[in-house]
Amino acid sequence: MAVAQDLRQWGIWLAGERVDGDGRSRATIDNPATGEPLAEVTEATTADLDAAVDAAQSQLAGGWGRTPAAERSRLLHRLADLVHEHRRELTELEVANVGKASSSVVAEVHAAAATFRYFASIAGTADAGDALPIGGSVASYTRRHPVGVVGQVIPWNYPLMMASWKLAPAIAAGCPTIIKPATATPLTALRLAELAAEAGIPEGVVSVLPGPGSTLGQALVEHPGIAKVAFTGATETGVRIMQAAAPSMKRLTLELGGKSPNIICADADLSQAVPSSVWAIFYSAGQSCE
Ligand code: NDP
């Protein structure tokens, strides 16, 4: 098909470099607004996952996990700058990949930059603990350490913003991170990884591995080298992830699908309450948790 020759080819982002080929399968990504093919994306294998975990573990032991908090903060500020500088490109990529209105995505890209900025600002104190005044001759205090390598599973409704919400706090806290984006919407997470490298965040701290949730996502959740999993998506998937993480007692953060009931009181201004409720339910084709 002639159009396929013009599709942008994306590799996986594995420990600081783009990796492609070697018999890995490729998925064609469509623009949902037009139905036209948009890009071809390499799918990571479980061997790629092992390699990403090894690289992340090396960073945890001797690199990022021991990088002073002030330096982590500086690099996150640089990444916030780069997301801001590339906001138009990221917006165009997200609009084409998700099929959303650019007015929505402009705000999401702004929120992504603001998220990196915020966590850059607090990273400087991420390792701080408390002094515990137990008294007597006992000196008691707490210190914070990176929890370990973090695996993050991202949905398709806010790909860049969700990736930023998960990535920024993890790397601010010194945790190397492996992201599995949704199969349909991996492009901005892959671009974000390139920007993280450009910002100077060392190789192995950020890997982005597109691939099917049922196999690659499941393998990530079960991987013994991953200490914590953060997931946003369907409640049923959250249940599977909780079960899969239980044998190795991983820490979990689950943000699951759901719509909250709206309670409209008798004295409410219906001219405001009704449109607000309709917006909350149906904004973004109804695919926002409100
Ligand atoms: P899923 O939960 O299937 O997908 C979300 C992410 O989880 C994707 O990256 C997916 O990969 C991955 N995944 C799927 N199965 C596994 C698994 N066994 N282990 C690890 N990762 C896995 O959601 P859907 O896309 O099917 O959406 C269904 C509904 O869920 C939506 O209509 C919405 O109601 C809700 N939802 C809520 C979200 C929220 O923001 N709270 C976000 C997304 C969905 P892959 O893309 O390859 O399948």
Side-chain angles (χ1 to χ4, degrees):
M1 192 166 66
V3 70
Q5 291 169 4
D6 299 319
L7 297 182
R8 174 159 176 195
Q9 313 285 310
W10 293 78
I12 64 174
W13 189 262
L14 175 55
E17 60 177 348
R18 180 190 149 148
V19 176
D20 217 341
D22 274 345
R24 294 176 182 86
S25 53
R26 301 182 73 86
T28 301
I29 306 294
D30 294 332
N31 178 334
T34 64
E36 296 290 321
L38 175 68
E40 286 193 341
V41 175
T42 301
E43 295 193 324
T45 63
T46 50
D48 293 325
L49 174 63
D50 290 340
V53 172
D54 284 350
Q57 289 285 2
S58 300
Q59 278 293 344
L60 182 69
W64 194 247
R66 296 189 177 202
T67 299
E71 176 65 359
R72 299 199 303 266
S73 170
R74 185 183 74 78
L75 295 173
L76 274 167
H77 274 299
R78 181 72 192 119
L79 180 53
D81 290 342
L82 285 172
V83 171
H84 180 71
E85 285 165 23
H86 290 264
R87 61 192 181 282
R88 285 190 185 84
E89 174 203 344
L90 288 165
T91 300
E92 282 173 19
L93 199 56
E94 195 86 312
V95 165
N97 193 179
V98 186
K100 283 184 166 181
S102 55
S103 54
S104 301
V105 178
V106 163
E108 292 164 27
V109 174
H110 177 78
T115 300
F116 284 109
R117 183 75 62 207
Y118 173 76
F119 283 99
S121 304
I122 65 166
T125 56
D127 302 344
D130 296 312
L132 306 175
I134 291 174
S137 58
V138 178
S140 258
Y141 62 92
T142 61
R143 283 198 57 200
R144 293 186 184 156
H145 297 271
V147 73
V149 176
V150 176
Q152 304 184 336
V153 182
I154 312 293
W156 43 265
N157 53 353
Y158 296 88
L160 178 67
M161 199 172 74
M162 292 266 184
S164 305
W165 285 357
K166 288 180 168 44
L167 181 64
I171 59 176
C175 298
T177 296
I178 298 165
I179 293 177
K180 195 215 82 69
T183 296
T185 57
L187 302 187
T188 47
L190 287 165
R191 187 70 185 108
L192 181 62
E194 292 174 351
L195 294 178
E198 192 180 328
I201 293 172
E203 63 184 50
V205 176
V206 180
S207 288
V208 177
L209 305 182
S214 56
T215 51
L216 187 73
Q218 186 82 19
L220 178 142
V221 173
E222 292 171 354
H223 202 291
I226 290 181
K228 168 173 177 149
V229 171
F231 167 76
T232 300
T235 304
E236 301 74 21
T237 314
V239 170
R240 276 200 293 280
I241 286 176
M242 194 174 236
Q243 288 167 339
S248 48
M249 296 182 70
K250 288 182 173 58
R251 290 167 168 84
L252 285 178
T253 303
L254 302 176
E255 185 204 2
L256 307 180
K259 290 286 185 192
S260 308
N262 285 359
I263 299 173
I264 299 177
C265 300
D267 61 347
D269 177 351
L270 291 185
S271 70
Q272 291 200 23
V274 171
S276 298
S277 298
V278 170
W279 185 88
I281 294 166
F282 294 112
Y283 165 74
S284 197
Q287 290 299 337
S288 292
C289 35
E290 301 289 350

